[in-house]
Amino acid sequence: MASMAAMSATTPINGSYVSWSHPTSTAPNNLSFSTSALFGDKFDFRNVTASYQTKRTPFTISPKAVSDSRNSHACLEPDTSRSVLGIILGGGAGTRLYPLTKKRAKPAVPLGANYRLIDIPVSNCLNSNISKIYVLTQFNLASLNGIFPGHTRATWAVTRRKGLLKFLLLSRVLKTQTGSRFILAHRETSADIIVAAFPMDEKRATAFGLMKIDEEGRVIEFSEKPKGDQLKAMQVDTTILGLDDKKAKEMPFIASMGIYVVSKNVMLDLLSNKFPGANDFGSEVIPGATSIGMRVQAYLYEGYWKDIGTIEAFYNANLGITKKPVPDFSFYDRSSPIYTQPHYLPPSKMLDADVTDSVIGEGCVIKNCRIHHSVVGLRSCISKGAIVEDTLLMGADYYETEADRKFLAEKGSVPIIIGKNSHIKRAIIDKNARIGDDVKIINSDNVLEAEKETDGYFIKSGIITIVKDALIPSGTLI
């Protein structure tokens, strides 16, 4: 979530830095140019001698010092609002998140009852005083219309141009000071590029670009989503990042978070001259920059960060906000508010309902039912006798009128609701789903994978996802 924001590049507007960020995955796949010979390869840069290496004054700093330590005091001059441009890469087709991306771009996927994925990286930029932000996306562009975060101190304009959404914010990624420390580290190390890094365990490592660094925190080797022997070759002693021996054994890899700070002139040179045919910024341009001797520095991020590019990861991240006594991620931090589109909805109403360990969005009507360990999205309507557990309900885009409901009943159809006495467990119910009475969405056969799109659902990693606008008739068993 705070990664959902994932790839950020920082380049001064007037000669400073550029900041790139991807809201859902640390495996960026967003820039579309022509193909490049660099894609997916492994690079070792320790023996490279290039002109970029001779332009820098030697600078020594321990990797642990270049980190997200809360003890640091960021003092940025020039101010980031005047010197940094934020670029958020909105993602590709989102195949790993399908069917949530069937009718929307990845940045528009609902999150945490009231929010959308795009809200996280944009809010992180605003909280870090990055006031000029571009959001680039390639698919389902219209789904981003009208959902850009509202902010009383921000003015913004949206223009369409050749399939590109350009958001300009005039206002005030990670926590309030985190983004500032990230940029400060870039300036202090005199790096051409600085890459946010995160220690990673073996199970998840194959989904990321992995790095090796020297004692100064400089990236010396890069491998994009390695497997087998290539994965083993990327193991490092992560105590160099400041981890204790136990943690270092659990997490022997250094993963790129897909968040970068890049000097403006370096960015222009990379895209215009060095790698004009690059197809992917994270897996081609960044490794390529290291291969020609640019100073690419790792920055250890120590806060909350998740890659939510798969259904399972997305589900777990959402349910993580219900964890007690302390949730994985909190929306209640007044120093780092998460901005979103104003919904102008009434308070949620709960009538004789039993709700435990759950988060309820705005405008819900919940009647005489049981909800446990779930996230209930805005405008959700849950009927008498229903049981919802370990589930993410995304809610609805609109309320139906009584006339609408009467008309649907006459046709034998179902309104946008969780019907009476229905039971839902370990599922994602996308927006505007119509769940009839006495429906059981419980995966009683423990199916791990299934594609039943014509029936309105998929199963991935044992998690049932009901497709947006789907109709599940009364009495259905899934």
Side-chain angles (χ1 to χ4, degrees), residues 182-195:
F182 192 26
I183 297 165
L184 181 64
H186 181 274
R187 296 176 181 178
E188 287 182 339
T189 58
S190 300
D192 295 304
I193 302 169
I194 195 163
V195 183

Side-chain angles (χ1 to χ4, degrees), residues 31-345:
L31 296 185
S32 291
F33 304 106
S34 58
T35 58
S36 166
L38 290 175
F39 183 78
D41 289 334
K42 179 177 178 181
F43 304 88
D44 190 324
F45 313 113
R46 283 170 283 195
N47 299 319
V48 174
T49 55
S51 58
Y52 276 97
Q53 290 180 312
T54 62
K55 293 180 180 179
R56 295 290 182 185
T57 302
F59 185 90
T60 303
I61 185 166
S62 70
K64 189 174 180 180
V66 186
S67 70
D68 188 47
S69 169
R70 293 186 177 276
N71 295 324
S72 62
H73 299 281
C75 181
L76 294 172
E77 184 60 40
D79 184 83
T80 54
S81 65
R82 294 182 290 111
S83 64
V84 178
L85 170 67
I87 301 176
I88 300 172
L89 304 185
T95 53
R96 294 188 301 159
L97 274 177
Y98 196 88
L100 300 181
T101 52
K102 178 181 180 180
K103 298 182 178 181
R104 57 168 78 90
K106 280 197 290 187
V109 172
L111 172 78
N114 283 351
Y115 304 92
R116 305 268 182 145
L117 288 179
I118 188 62
D119 297 342
I120 304 298
V122 169
S123 297
N124 288 337
C125 287
L126 295 175
N127 292 333
S128 299
N129 204 27
I130 298 174
S131 58
K132 291 183 174 60
I133 306 167
Y134 285 75
V135 179
L136 312 182
T137 190
Q138 297 171 288
F139 294 88
N140 292 322
L141 182 67
S143 64
L144 282 173
N145 287 347
I147 68 162
F148 205 69
H151 177 23
T152 56
R153 298 195 305 175
T155 59
W156 50 272
V158 180
T159 61
R160 290 174 178 267
R161 185 177 179 184
K162 295 182 180 178
L164 169 69
L165 268 190
K166 175 182 176 183
F167 296 97
L168 301 178
L169 283 90
L170 310 173
S171 132
R172 217 242 14 133
V173 180
L174 325 158
K175 294 284 185 180
T176 301
Q177 289 301 318
T178 295
S180 300
R181 286 196 294 270
F182 192 26
I183 297 165
L184 181 64
H186 181 274
R187 296 176 181 178
E188 287 182 339
T189 58
S190 300
D192 295 304
I193 302 169
I194 195 163
V195 183
F198 203 80
M200 186 63 60
D201 57 75
E202 184 172 356
K203 180 181 178 181
R204 296 178 295 161
T206 56
F208 298 91
L210 302 181
M211 302 177 288
K212 287 185 177 180
I213 61 176
D214 64 16
E215 64 278 0
E216 297 180 3
R218 182 168 179 170
V219 178
I220 57 174
E221 190 173 339
F222 192 100
S223 184
E224 179 66 14
K225 299 182 181 179
K227 293 179 175 60
D229 292 340
Q230 287 186 334
L231 176 63
K232 292 180 181 179
M234 293 305 294
Q235 285 191 4
V236 296
D237 180 2
T238 50
T239 57
I240 192 174
L241 299 177
L243 275 65
D244 59 37
D245 290 340
K246 180 182 178 182
K247 204 71 174 177
K249 288 181 180 179
E250 295 173 355
M251 297 186 173
F253 299 95
I254 302 175
S256 166
M257 293 171 61
I259 305 177
Y260 315 101
V261 180
V262 187
S263 296
K264 177 182 177 181
N265 292 336
V266 170
M267 176 68 79
L268 294 175
D269 187 34
L270 285 171
L271 298 182
S272 299
N273 303 318
K274 297 296 189 296
F275 306 104
N279 187 58
D280 188 291
F281 189 82
S283 65
E284 299 179 71
V285 177
I286 295 300
T290 315
S291 72
I292 61 174
M294 287 186 174
R295 187 180 184 95
V296 180
Q297 195 80 20
Y299 173 94
L300 175 63
Y301 179 63
E302 298 176 313
Y304 175 86
W305 180 79
K306 298 289 184 184
D307 170 35
I308 55 170
T310 67
I311 289 292
E312 183 178 21
F314 178 79
Y315 170 86
N316 289 333
N318 273 274
L319 271 292
I321 68 175
T322 69
K323 187 179 292 185
K324 60 180 184 181
V326 180
D328 290 341
F329 178 83
S330 175
F331 289 97
Y332 300 92
D333 186 348
R334 69 176 185 178
S335 68
S336 302
I338 302 300
Y339 302 107
T340 190
Q341 174 195 19
H343 300 114
Y344 307 110
L345 291 173

Side-chain angles (χ1 to χ4, degrees), residues 356-432:
T356 56
D357 302 342
S358 297
V359 172
I360 310 296
E362 301 173 78
C364 298
V365 179
I366 299 171
K367 299 179 180 178
N368 196 15
C369 60
R370 182 163 69 85
I371 301 172
H372 174 70
H373 188 232
S374 296
V375 175
V376 179
L378 45 81
R379 301 188 190 88
S380 289
C381 292
I382 305 177
S383 301
K384 179 180 179 180
I387 300 174
V388 177
E389 50 187 339
D390 306 327
T391 289
L392 168 60
L393 299 181
M394 290 187 170
D397 290 317
Y398 56 93
Y399 289 119
E400 291 176 319
T401 65
E402 286 301 319
D404 292 333
R405 292 178 178 238
K406 182 178 179 181
F407 175 75
L408 290 168
E410 290 172 352
K411 288 176 54 181
S413 189
V414 178
I416 299 174
I417 200 169
I418 306 299
K420 295 178 182 177
N421 302 313
S422 289
H423 185 187
I424 303 173
K425 183 174 183 179
R426 191 169 166 75
I428 299 173
I429 311 298
D430 206 341
K431 282 194 167 184
N432 309 330

